[in-house]
Amino acid sequence: MAGGGAKQDDFQPHPVKEQLPGVEYCITSPPHWPEAFVLGFQHYLVMLGTTVLIPSTLVPQMGGGNEEKARVIQTLLFVAGINTLLQSYFGTRLPTVIGGSYTFVVPTVSIVLANRYSNVLDPHQRFLQTMRGIQGSLIVASSFQIIIGFSGLWRNVVRFLSPLSAVPLVTLAGLGLYTFGFPGVGKCIEIGLPQLILLVFLSQYLPHCLKGRRAFFDRSAVLISVIIVWVYAHILTVGGAYKNSPPKTQSHCRTDRSGLITAAPWIRIPYPFQWGSPTFHAGEAFAMMFASFASLIESTGTFIAVSRYASATPVPPSILSRGVGWQGMAILFSGMFGTLNGSSASPENAGLLALTRVGSRRVIQISAGFMIFFSVLGKFGALFASIPMPIVAALYCIFFAYVASAGLGFLQFCNLNSFRTKFILGFSIFMGLSVPQYFNEFAVVAGYGPVHTRSRSFNDMVNVIYSSPATVAAIVAFFLDCTLHHGDSAVQRDRGWHWWEKFRSFKSDTRSEEFYSLPFNLNKYFPSV
């Protein structure tokens, strides 16, 4: 009889978990200070990829050299530290890193290539004038998220979000960034591939072989692997392995080609309007505002993934709306300081939460301290920022995958035997990948997007929206989920609405710690559960 019962249990489905089990430190239970500092430093290393890559690509197009590039990276780091602290204390209060975003690159490049800057002969003056134009657009664009977040408008939107429509949103927030993964590794395969293999081995295989030190390798795999491969890359560099390589290969593989260490000052504190007074152009500001909208959707997906990996309860719409409002403040600070880029929630750091199984808010606040510290001490910050990008791309392969899997995890709340569910999931995810691919391929061949009118700003507005996989997938899934057979009572259960509805009526205090605690006391607030 006992054996029969055990055999029958083998065929029972896995129970639904509203909070992810296996997280060793949740939001309000931080690790010891030494370990917290190591984990915080890892988050700092991970966010450096976006921080370095975007200025390194755009500053030369603006006429700037290594000195301007180093100052922009310092400023972006400094502002990211401030915005991360503000988000963790006053925004969603989730362990979320707020950093640079690839979403803002499209309208930024459009400003860089504007005709009014092409006649400026002095490269430094062209850089300054272009930077001031970008600052003005970011300052105006920040008002969108500030208004929609603090007014509660976003709360009224996301309260209709179900687990079914959250799956494409969160999944594509990670999966949609696949172009920054292995293609980046392949730019210097002899460095990127060893980093990827070593990180997988240290984080997934070695802990099971050394059970006594499992936590150490689980939580320090990024730091250990980056140091080993970075030293290996430096040995290749000084050994002359790339002496006769093409310039592009050397820039990707060598550890001495960034130019940041020599150009960065020893000590410098970024300050508002350091590049001069911002300039404003209506069309460019509206294009940047549409990028802010896409960033808002992507960050909402990242917030949901972070709450999952921090073992928090489903985030109420009011908390998400408040977080969006503070993200708007982050974009405002980006415009005031001149970071060259808008701000959004970092999906790579959300993936690091999953790898380490540490969702502590204190760790993220410590990482923000590292951002501010190394942005002021320019030489030391530039040393870490000179890590070859293929190493960072290898990290992305794992971290973006974790974010995507967080979205797939919400399928447990849905009825996967429903054809309605299958259609919404399949169609939204497919369109989220296919539509941006069409826009990107069209731009590569023609030199401009499918929408090509006389108004460059209007073109940017449309192209930036449809070039974001998470935005396209979220819009399609949200519309279909809210309109397709919505009145049927069985549909509400198929889309997982009943699992999240109890949390949506919960009015969390601004500093409520119990809402984020593990486990959450449902009976106190929802006696019927």
Side-chain angles (χ1 to χ4, degrees):
M1 293 295 292
K7 186 175 181 180
Q8 185 177 2
D9 290 340
D10 291 340
F11 292 93
Q12 296 298 318
H14 294 288
V16 173
K17 299 290 185 181
E18 291 171 334
Q19 290 173 283
L20 187 66
V23 175
E24 297 174 5
Y25 293 98
C26 64
I27 295 180
T28 56
S29 60
H32 298 298
W33 283 104
E35 186 176 8
F37 272 92
V38 173
L39 293 169
F41 186 73
Q42 283 190 140
H43 277 278
Y44 163 73
L45 285 180
V46 168
M47 64 86 58
L48 280 177
T50 305
T51 304
V52 174
L53 181 59
I54 294 176
S56 298
T57 303
L58 296 180
V59 168
Q61 299 182 47
M62 299 165 60
N66 287 335
E67 183 178 349
E68 287 82 3
K69 182 170 66 174
R71 289 181 61 186
V72 171
I73 292 174
Q74 278 184 277
T75 304
L76 185 52
L77 265 178
F78 185 81
V79 174
I82 293 176
N83 290 331
T84 299
L85 288 175
L86 291 174
Q87 187 68 233
S88 67
Y89 279 110
F90 306 109
T92 60
R93 293 179 56 76
L94 291 167
T96 308
V97 171
I98 304 297
S101 172
Y102 296 108
T103 307
F104 292 89
V105 170
V106 172
T108 301
V109 170
S110 181
I111 296 174
V112 171
L113 300 178
N115 292 330
R116 64 181 181 277
Y117 301 123
S118 60
N119 297 326
V120 181
L121 299 180
D122 183 24
H124 182 66
Q125 286 300 318
R126 181 169 180 264
F127 168 81
L128 291 178
Q129 292 188 28
T130 308
M131 176 64 81
R132 293 168 189 168
I134 295 172
Q135 285 185 261
S137 297
L138 285 173
I139 290 173
V140 174
S142 67
S143 62
F144 175 78
Q145 290 199 30
I146 291 174
I147 294 173
I148 200 173
F150 288 134
S151 68
L153 290 175
W154 192 239
R155 174 192 61 205
N156 294 329
V157 174
V158 296
R159 70 188 181 92
F160 293 105
L161 191 70
S162 71
L164 176 58
S165 51
V167 172
L169 167 61
V170 182
T171 300
L172 270 296
L175 197 62
L177 298 170
Y178 68 91
T179 56
F180 298 102
F182 201 81
V185 173
K187 291 179 179 178
C188 188
I189 197 70
E190 62 268 30
I191 293 177
L193 190 58
Q195 170 64 45
L196 180 59
I197 294 174
L198 185 60
L199 181 58
V200 171
F201 174 75
L202 291 177
S203 63
Q204 306 299 325
Y205 289 93
L206 191 59
H208 293 278
C209 300
L210 304 174
K211 297 185 181 297
R213 303 292 294 172
R214 175 173 183 171
F216 173 79
F217 289 102
D218 270 350
R219 301 169 195 165
S220 306
V222 170
L223 184 60
I224 296 172
S225 60
V226 167
I227 291 176
I228 293 175
V229 178
W230 194 7
V231 171
Y232 161 68
H234 187 67
I235 293 174
L236 291 179
T237 299
V238 299
Y242 306 109
K243 186 176 181 179
N244 299 317
S245 300
K248 183 173 290 188
T249 301
Q250 294 194 32
S251 66
H252 291 308
C253 300
R254 293 181 68 99
T255 58
D256 58 357
R257 281 292 184 270
S258 65
L260 296 177
I261 299 177
T262 56
W266 282 101
I267 297 177
R268 180 180 177 274
I269 300 177
Y271 54 91
F273 309 115
Q274 58 188 327
W275 312 108
S277 300
T279 58
F280 300 91
H281 185 278
E284 293 171 352
F286 276 107
M288 196 70 76
M289 198 172 293
F290 273 71
S292 178
F293 172 69
S295 169
L296 178 153
I297 294 179
E298 293 173 358
S299 293
T300 299
T302 303
F303 286 145
I304 295 173
V306 167
S307 69
R308 189 69 177 162
Y309 285 133
S311 198
T313 53
V315 187
S318 58
I319 303 295
L320 288 173
S321 188
R322 191 176 69 203
V324 164
W326 278 102
Q327 185 171 284
M329 294 297 297
I331 298 174
L332 176 62
F333 293 146
S334 298
M336 291 173 59
F337 281 82
T339 63
L340 186 63
N341 190 246
S343 299
S344 68
S346 169
E348 55 265 38
N349 290 90
L352 182 56
L353 296 178
L355 184 74
T356 59
R357 302 180 190 178
V358 176
S360 169
R361 188 165 51 220
R362 178 184 293 176
V363 169
I364 298 302
Q365 292 165 349
I366 291 173
S367 74
F370 278 117
M371 297 174 207
I372 297 174
F373 177 77
F374 285 116
S375 66
V376 174
L377 298 180
K379 294 289 186 183
F380 295 98
L383 174 64
F384 297 111
S386 64
I387 297 174
M389 290 309 299
I391 294 179
V392 179
L395 303 181
Y396 286 169
C397 291
I398 293 179
F399 298 150
F400 291 157
Y402 264 126
V403 175
S405 65
L408 296 176
F410 291 112
L411 290 174
Q412 64 181 307
F413 303 111
C414 308
N415 179 12
L416 294 179
N417 294 316
S418 165
F419 279 97
R420 177 186 183 275
T421 301
K422 292 180 180 297
F423 169 71
I424 293 176
L425 284 176
F427 186 67
S428 60
I429 292 177
F430 181 85
M431 295 303 289
L433 293 173
S434 187
V435 172
Q437 183 68 18
Y438 165 70
F439 272 71
N440 293 334
E441 288 183 0
F442 194 102
V444 169
V445 175
Y448 49 83
V451 179
H452 185 59
T453 66
R454 293 183 178 180
S455 174
R456 178 172 51 86
S457 300
F458 176 78
N459 300 339
D460 293 337
M461 293 178 196
V462 178
N463 292 332
V464 73
I465 292 295
Y466 290 102
S467 295
S468 169
T471 303
V472 174
I475 292 174
V476 173
F478 187 82
F479 175 79
L480 292 176
D481 192 33
C482 291
T483 59
L484 191 60
H485 312 310
H486 187 68
D488 192 343
S489 59
V491 167
Q492 301 301 324
R493 297 189 63 84
D494 288 348
R495 62 201 291 254
W497 181 264
H498 59 294
W499 288 104
W500 281 10
E501 178 62 20
K502 53 183 174 291
F503 295 101
R504 298 193 182 281
S505 60
F506 177 68
K507 303 299 182 182
S508 173
D509 181 75
T510 302
R511 291 188 170 272
S512 173
E513 297 296 335
E514 187 174 0
F515 173 74
Y516 292 115
S517 63
L518 176 65
F520 181 70
N521 186 5
L522 285 177
N523 292 326
K524 179 177 179 179
Y525 299 99
F526 313 104
S528 61
V529 177

